[in-house]
């Protein structure tokens, strides 16, 4: 791997790589945030403020193009209507506490051993199926417009930008909204959505617990362990999984009460930034400023004009990207089974059954502990 460079040897540099690299992390962020704003009570301006601020904070802190993206399991459940806004907020706060505690106490490796790589892949597959089902329902509202979204994605893929296909659909959808509603007059986002203690106490439900369990699996595997490995592989930089866990916990405990959505780091966002040319935290600063500049224009009128059927195509693209992770599992059958059980029941049940099945599989000599390296 060569000489490992510590954080204090990294920096923030601006150039063409910072500008193009910023696109890499918006590939997943924009589609999911737009979907949450359209289909739930999430405030788009406040969500963008959260992403903007923490893109800059962690880009400067790590000196690396670290990803700041939605917690996909929670986002998918909220988009599908399986989580209310209050349940989404409570799940984000609980995960903030858990991730901060795990990071500060250095217990992440012990937690990860209980989950296993096939279970994480299975949760990713399940989240993809949930989004695919929701996307299909939305697309049926206007099949012609949905087909146009698929055509846009196919064009992007044929042009060699397959990873940015969902972003391309989102951008076209925004352009259609601008043509329909006109360029909105800038306005401040105002006070963030506030939930009373009564609303939060009412969000203590099985659905919230299921979402927390499923998201914790994805966050530990995809956002902490895999991201740490990716920083070593791509940048020769040493960032421990526990550091990433602590920074994700901090992010959620600050952003969620102020109207942001649950956020995490993710290896796919880091890989996307690197593929688009990012080499330092400068890409984070560029993207963070871009999000903050967009805040005054993220008005309800613009959201209302966004073509919902095209949103269905957009979600389907994100879904396929997530679901195909099951192919890389060290136990494809188990990962696929977890996804199917989740679709038939719920993510929490599938997650727990998956852990039991994985531990049993390892006990009879079918598995190893090297799988996390391939997340």
């Amino acid at each position: 791997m060569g000489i490992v460079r510590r954080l204090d040897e990294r920096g923030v540099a601006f150039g063409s790589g910072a500008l193009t690299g910023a696109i890499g992390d918006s590939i997943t962020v924009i589609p999911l945030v737009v979907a949450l704003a359209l289909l739930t009570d999430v405030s788009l301006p406040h969500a963008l403020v959260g992403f903007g601020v923490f893109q800059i904070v962690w880009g400067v802190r790590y000196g690396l193009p670290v990803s700041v993206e939605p917690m996909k399991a929670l986002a998918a459940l909220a988009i599908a209507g399986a989580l209310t806004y209050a349940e989404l907020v409570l799940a984000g706060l609980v995960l903030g506490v858990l991730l901060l505690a795990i990071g500060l106490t250095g217990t992440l490796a012990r937690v990860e051993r209980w989950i296993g790589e096939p279970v994480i892949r299975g949760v990713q597959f399940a989240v993809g199926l949930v989004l695919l089902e929701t996307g299909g329902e939305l697309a049926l509202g206007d099949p012609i417009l949905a087909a146009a979204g698929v055509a846009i994605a196919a064009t992007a893929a044929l042009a060699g930008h397959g990873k940015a296909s969902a972003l391309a659909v989102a951008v076209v959808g925004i352009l259609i909204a601008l043509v329909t509603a006109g360029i909105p007059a800038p306005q401040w986002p105002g006070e963030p959505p506030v939930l009373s203690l009564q609303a939060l106490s009412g969000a203590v439900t099985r659905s919230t617990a299921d979402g927390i369990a499923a998201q914790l699996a994805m966050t530990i595997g995809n956002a902490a362990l895999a991201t740490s490995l990716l920083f070593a592989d791509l940048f020769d930089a040493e960032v421990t999984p526990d550091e990433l866990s602590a920074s994700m916990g901090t992010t959620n405990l600050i952003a969620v009460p102020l109207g942001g959505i649950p956020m995490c780091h993710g290896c796919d966002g880091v890989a996307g930034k690197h593929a688009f040319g990012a080499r330092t935290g400068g890409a984070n600063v560029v993207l963070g400023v871009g999000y903050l500049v967009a805040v005054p224009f993220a008005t309800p009128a613009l959201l209302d004009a966004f073509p919902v059927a095209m949103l269905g195509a957009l979600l389907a693209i994100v879904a396929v990207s997530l679901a195909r992770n099951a192919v890389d599992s060290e136990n494809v059958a188990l990962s696929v089974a977890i996804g199917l059980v989740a679709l038939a029941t719920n993510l929490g049940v599938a997650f727990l059954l998956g852990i039991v099945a994985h531990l049993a599989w390892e006990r009879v000599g079918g598995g190893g502990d090297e799988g996390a390296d391939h997340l």
Side-chain angles (χ1 to χ4, degrees):
M1 185 172 65
I3 299 175
V4 175
R5 285 173 279 186
R6 294 294 302 170
L7 298 182
D8 55 10
E9 297 178 27
R10 306 299 302 185
V12 174
F14 300 99
S16 60
L19 182 59
T20 59
I23 299 172
D25 206 17
S26 59
I27 288 171
T28 302
V29 175
I30 296 299
L32 288 179
V33 172
V34 169
L36 282 167
L38 280 168
L39 303 175
T40 75
D41 291 332
V42 166
S43 167
L44 180 57
H46 293 92
L48 289 175
V49 169
F51 281 105
V53 169
F54 283 101
Q55 279 282 350
I56 296 170
V57 167
W58 299 125
V60 173
R61 161 66 179 88
Y62 288 114
L64 292 161
V66 62
S67 173
V68 181
E69 56 190 52
M71 287 187 164
K72 294 187 184 71
L74 294 183
L77 291 171
I79 289 168
L83 285 181
T84 66
Y85 178 66
E87 289 169 337
L88 178 69
V89 168
L90 181 60
L93 292 173
V94 171
L95 283 165
V97 173
L98 289 175
L99 291 169
L100 183 59
I102 288 171
L104 293 179
T105 57
T107 58
L108 191 143
R110 289 192 290 274
V111 175
E112 184 268 340
R113 279 199 296 271
W114 282 93
I115 297 176
E117 186 260 5
V119 179
I120 297 168
R121 295 291 190 194
V123 172
Q124 290 175 318
F125 183 61
V127 170
L129 293 180
V130 170
L131 283 176
L132 186 61
E133 184 179 37
T134 305
E137 292 172 355
L138 294 175
L140 289 175
D142 189 338
I144 294 177
L145 198 55
V150 173
I152 293 166
T155 301
L158 290 172
H161 303 293
K163 292 184 177 180
S165 56
L167 180 61
V169 177
V171 169
V172 172
I174 292 171
L175 291 175
I176 291 174
L178 287 170
V179 171
T180 303
I183 298 177
Q187 58 182 258
W188 294 111
E191 295 291 327
V194 177
L195 291 174
S196 65
L197 289 177
Q198 183 178 4
L200 286 176
S201 62
V204 181
T205 63
R206 179 173 175 174
S207 296
T208 303
D210 289 342
I212 291 170
Q215 184 60 60
L216 188 62
M218 282 186 67
T219 299
I220 288 173
N222 194 58
L225 295 167
T227 301
S228 175
L229 288 170
L230 202 59
F231 279 140
D233 291 342
L234 297 180
F235 301 96
D236 286 341
E238 183 181 329
V239 184
T240 69
D242 287 310
E243 286 176 297
L244 294 168
S245 181
S247 65
M248 288 186 288
T250 301
T251 297
N252 285 290
L253 290 177
I254 294 174
V256 172
L258 297 177
I261 65 171
M263 292 179 278
C264 64
H265 303 313
C267 65
D268 48 352
V270 173
K273 280 183 172 174
H274 182 271
F276 279 84
R279 296 297 180 267
T280 75
N284 286 64
V285 175
V286 171
L287 183 55
V289 170
Y291 285 147
L292 294 176
V293 169
V295 168
F297 301 96
T299 63
L302 188 63
L303 272 177
D304 290 341
F306 192 95
V308 176
M310 191 169 282
L311 176 65
L314 186 155
L315 290 177
I317 296 163
V318 176
V320 171
S321 176
L322 276 170
R324 66 185 180 191
N325 283 304
V327 177
D328 297 325
S329 174
E330 63 183 25
N331 187 339
V332 175
L334 176 57
S335 297
V336 171
I338 290 171
L340 295 176
V341 170
L343 202 60
T345 56
N346 61 66
L347 265 172
V349 170
F351 172 66
L352 293 176
L353 290 177
I355 290 176
V356 173
H358 173 65
L359 292 176
W361 177 62
E362 282 200 324
R363 193 172 184 83
V364 298
D369 59 3
E370 76 279 8
D373 291 345
H374 303 292
L375 285 174

